[in-house]
Amino acid sequence: MEITHQSVHDYIAAKKRGDREATDRIVAEVRARFDTRTTDGSEAAQLLHATMHVRFGEDL
C-alpha cells in the first residue's frame, strides 16, 4: 500500500522507534478527522494498514 498521508508516515516512524505517546496522539488525531468527515477515509485506511504491518521498536 502506498502511504500518501504525512500523519501515517509520522505514525510509522513513531511506532518503529517505540513511541507509544506519539502513536496514540496520531491515532486520536486521525480518528477525530475521520469522525468529523474532514478526511476522505483514505488516511484512516492507511493508518489501519500501518497498524497491522509495523511492529513497535521494529528498527531497534
Side-chain angles (χ1 to χ4, degrees):
M1 169 177 272
E2 180 182 358
I3 304 302
T4 59
H5 293 276
Q6 184 59 48
S7 61
V8 181
H9 286 290
D10 295 345
Y11 175 84
I12 290 169
K15 194 165 183 185
K16 285 182 175 183
R17 69 176 181 269
D19 187 344
R20 173 88 55 196
E21 184 178 322
T23 58
D24 289 350
R25 177 184 47 76
I26 293 165
V27 168
E29 290 170 358
V30 171
R31 180 182 297 160
R33 283 193 288 278
F34 182 77
D35 288 348
T36 60
R37 306 295 189 252
T38 56
T39 184
D40 65 1
S42 64
E43 183 181 24
Q46 289 177 21
L47 186 65
L48 175 61
H49 179 81
T51 298
M52 294 187 312
H53 291 92
V54 179
R55 294 183 181 186
F56 269 94
E58 189 175 75
D59 285 346
L60 301 178

